[in-house]
Amino acid sequence: MTKPALLALASFTATIGALPGLAQTATPAAHHGQSPVLPETPEQKARLAWFKDARLGLFIHWGLYAIPAGQWPGRENTNRGEWIMLQEKIPSAEYEKLAGQFNPVKFDAKAWVGLAKAAGMKYLVVTAKHHDGFCLYDSKLTDYDIVDATPFRRDPLRELAAACREAGIVFCIYYSLPDWHHPEFPARYSMRDFHGAPNPQADVGRYADYMHAQIRELLTNYGPVGIVWFDGGGSFANADRGQLLRGEDLRRMINTLQPAALINNRGGIPADYGTPEQRIPGFMTGNAFEVCMTLNRHWGYNRFDQEWKSPATVVRNIADIVSKGGNYLLNVGPTAEGVIPEESVRILREVGTWTSLNAEAIYGAGPTPFGDELGYEDATRKDGKTGRPLWVDRNAWRCTTQPGRLYFHLLEWPAGESFTLPAFSNRVKRAYLLADRARELSATPGANGVTIKLPSRAPAALAPVLCVEIEGEVKPATRNDRPDTGKDTAS
C-alpha cells in the first residue's frame, strides 16, 4: 500500500469514535431521489480525508440473482441482472426457492479482497441486502438470509470484513431502501409498484423499524465500516423517503455507532458525497463524489454479458474522474458459486499494474488546476436519452496534482514526440515519465507554453503519466504570463 493510502486508512481508523454529529445544512440535491450533500466545512473535510485519498473502490453485487444469471427459466429475455425479480414479475414464493440452491462453495473472501488490492482499490462496498430483500449476512431479524435460508450457512460479510482488515482495505456496506420481499414494505413506494407478495396492510413505519434494526446489526457486528451505501432502486417517487424512513434518526444512529462512516446521497438524509451512476461528470462538481460503474453492462452476474470495458477504458476513467476530484467505484458481479468472472479478474489485474506504477498520480492526488481545458458541452448535439448537450473532450490528457507536481495522464500518445503543457506561470524544475523516472525529459518554453520532448514510443501500454515538477503551487497563466522553465534538462 502506498504512503498516501496508509495515511488515509490511519485517518479513517483514528477517527472511529472521535467525531461528533454533523450540522444538517446541505447544498441542494442535483437529481430527484438524491439527498443533498453537506458543505465541506473543516469538520467535513476531516471526515472525507481517507475517502479522497483512497480514490478507487471495488463494488460487489452478489445475491440470489446470480443463480438465474441473466435469464429466468422459461423466459426469453437474457438481459437480466440483480433486478430480475421485478423485471420478470416473479412472486416471492417462487423467487424464495433460489435460496435453497444458493451454495457458493468456491467463495473465498481473501481472494476477493486480494483482487481488490491487486487492482489498486482501497475500499470495498458489498451488497448486504439488495432490492430483492435477501440478506447476504446473518441477520437476527429475518430467516431470509444466507445463513438461515441456504445450504451455505456461512456469513460472507463477516469473512470479507476480516479479510479487508487484514489487507488494509476499508470495508463498506450497501443497503437497499426498498424491499420486494418484506411484508411491511408497501408496493406503492416501489419502482413500478412491484412487490413479490404485496400486502394491502403494509406499514412503512414498521418497515422502517426493520430497516433501522438491520443497519444497527451491520454497524455493530462487523467492525469498522467506512461507508453506508444506500440505494433507492427507483423507489419513493413523489414521496419523502427521509421522512417515511425516519432519516434523521437513522443518521443519528450511524453517527453514534460508526462516527467516521460516510453516508452517500441516496438515503433521504444529508449526505457526505454524491453518486453519479454509469456516467462521469463533465466538470468538477464542487462536492465530493464517487462514480459507480459496471465493468460490463450489468451489476449482478449475467452469463450472457460479454461487453467488457477494456483496461484502457478503465484507466482512462480513473484519470478522468480523479482529475475532477472524484472517486471511482468499479463493480464486479460474482457467480452463484462465489467466483469473480475470469474476464473481470484479467481486466482488474491489468489495471492494477498501471495503478501500482502511477500510484502517486492517483492516491491522495488533487484535481486539475486547468479546469477550462477539460472540454465543453455542445449545445448543437443532444444525448438521445436525457436531452442534455453532449460532452466534448477538449484534450486527450487529464491532469492530477500533488504539492509541487503536475501529473499529465496521456490518454493518447502525442504525435511529433512532444507534448505542450497548458500555460502556467510556475518554473518547471524537472520532467519525466513515471514509467521511466531515471530519464529526464527536456522542457523548452514557447509562445504557447512549455514543450516536453518525449520518447518516440510510449513506455507503457496504458496511459503513461508525465510528471512535471514545479516551484510553488501551480498558477494557470494569464494572457500576459510567460512560463519560466529554468534550466533545460537533457533528454
Side-chain angles (χ1 to χ4, degrees):
M1 184 177 282
T2 63
K3 185 177 180 180
L6 283 170
L7 292 173
L9 184 60
S11 172
F12 166 72
T13 54
T15 53
I16 293 291
L19 294 174
L22 297 175
Q24 303 298 298
T25 303
T27 55
H31 301 288
H32 179 72
Q34 295 185 353
S35 308
V37 175
L38 291 161
E40 288 195 25
T41 61
E43 180 189 39
Q44 185 67 352
K45 286 181 180 179
R47 289 174 57 82
L48 288 165
W50 77 265
F51 179 76
K52 290 188 174 183
D53 283 347
R55 290 302 183 203
L56 305 179
L58 184 67
F59 212 175
I60 300 176
H61 275 68
W62 193 39
L64 298 182
Y65 40 82
I67 296 173
Q71 182 181 32
W72 194 254
R75 314 281 176 95
E76 294 182 2
N77 199 304
T78 59
N79 190 32
R80 304 309 193 197
E82 71 292 342
W83 282 59
I84 193 168
M85 184 180 178
L86 177 149
Q87 290 165 327
E88 295 292 353
K89 298 181 174 60
I90 303 165
S92 291
E94 186 176 352
Y95 191 83
E96 287 170 0
K97 295 175 183 177
L98 294 175
Q101 306 169 43
F102 195 47
N103 192 21
V105 293
K106 295 182 180 179
F107 166 70
D108 184 338
K110 289 187 176 181
W112 286 16
V113 173
L115 176 62
K117 194 175 183 72
M121 310 300 190
K122 304 304 181 186
Y123 60 103
L124 181 148
V125 183
V126 61
T127 51
K129 187 198 78 167
H130 206 268
H131 310 328
D132 61 4
F134 179 76
C135 299
L136 202 65
Y137 74 102
D138 185 14
S139 176
K140 303 307 179 186
L141 298 160
T142 179
D143 290 335
Y144 196 50
D145 65 48
I146 194 167
V147 173
D148 296 305
T150 81
F152 189 57
R153 304 192 71 80
R154 282 163 52 190
D155 186 337
L157 259 64
R158 188 171 301 282
E159 296 176 35
L160 284 168
C164 282
R165 285 194 295 273
E166 183 178 337
I169 302 287
V170 177
F171 177 71
C172 311
I173 58 166
Y174 165 111
Y175 189 90
S176 167
L177 300 181
D179 191 317
W180 303 328
H181 178 270
H182 195 279
E184 297 296 349
F185 187 82
R188 68 180 180 278
Y189 293 132
S190 180
M191 171 69 85
R192 302 178 197 168
D193 297 330
F194 174 78
H195 193 283
N199 172 16
Q201 305 304 317
D203 183 337
V204 72
R206 287 197 289 266
Y207 174 71
D209 291 340
Y210 171 78
M211 174 182 162
H212 285 225
Q214 285 206 316
I215 296 295
R216 181 176 292 276
E217 288 182 324
L218 292 165
L219 297 182
T220 54
N221 296 335
Y222 296 90
V225 173
I227 298 169
V228 180
W229 213 103
F230 291 116
D231 195 10
S235 61
F236 298 101
N238 302 313
D240 187 337
R241 67 182 66 177
Q243 181 178 10
L244 290 168
L245 298 176
R246 303 198 307 276
E248 291 298 329
D249 291 342
L250 184 62
R251 172 133 203 159
R252 193 175 300 110
M253 178 179 70
I254 295 170
N255 289 162
T256 300
L257 297 176
Q258 296 272 357
L262 303 178
I263 302 173
N264 74 342
N265 68 332
R266 302 187 180 194
I269 50 182
D272 296 298
Y273 67 90
T275 54
E277 182 170 327
Q278 300 284 44
R279 64 178 182 85
I280 300 173
F283 299 91
M284 288 177 281
T285 67
N287 292 314
F289 72 92
E290 170 195 74
V291 173
C292 54
M293 192 175 286
T294 52
L295 196 51
N296 51 3
R297 293 179 59 230
H298 294 83
W299 298 98
Y301 176 64
N302 180 306
R303 68 183 183 276
F304 305 97
D305 184 358
Q306 298 301 316
E307 295 186 30
W308 301 97
K309 290 178 176 62
S310 67
T313 296
V314 174
V315 163
R316 182 186 182 94
N317 289 346
I318 293 172
D320 194 11
I321 293 164
V322 176
S323 78
K324 294 165 183 169
N327 285 24
Y328 193 25
L329 183 62
L330 190 59
N331 181 78
V332 295
T335 69
E337 292 183 310
V339 176
I340 295 176
E342 182 178 347
E343 192 64 8
S344 296
V345 173
R346 183 192 69 80
I347 295 167
L348 290 176
R349 289 196 178 280
E350 191 169 338
V351 168
T353 300
W354 182 85
T355 58
S356 176
L357 181 64
N358 300 292
E360 67 187 74
I362 308 163
Y363 309 112
T368 179
F370 310 109
D372 57 348
E373 299 281 349
L374 293 175
Y376 62 95
E377 289 183 341
D378 185 351
T380 65
R381 294 185 294 162
K382 306 286 186 178
D383 181 276
K385 290 185 177 180
T386 66
R388 297 173 183 164
L390 286 175
W391 167 257
V392 179
D393 258 350
R394 196 184 296 276
N395 291 301
W397 53 265
R398 291 291 184 266
C399 180
T400 58
T401 60
Q402 296 279 8
R405 287 179 170 83
L406 302 173
Y407 300 97
F408 293 92
H409 303 245
L410 303 178
L411 307 178
E412 296 176 12
W413 192 245
E417 301 178 13
S418 65
F419 177 68
T420 300
L421 306 176
F424 55 87
S425 57
N426 306 69
R427 176 177 173 272
V428 173
K429 297 163 59 178
R430 184 168 174 252
Y432 50 92
L433 293 160
L434 293 185
D436 190 6
R437 294 169 183 266
R439 181 179 182 180
E440 291 195 16
L441 304 174
S442 66
T444 305
N448 296 321
V450 175
T451 297
I452 307 296
K453 176 69 173 176
L454 297 174
S456 58
R457 293 185 179 182
L462 300 176
V465 177
L466 170 66
C467 177
V468 178
E469 296 183 4
I470 62 173
E471 286 188 349
E473 184 178 349
V474 67
K475 301 173 184 176
T478 65
R479 291 178 181 272
N480 297 322
D481 284 334
R482 291 292 182 269
D484 176 13
T485 63
K487 65 181 180 65
D488 286 347
T489 53
S491 61

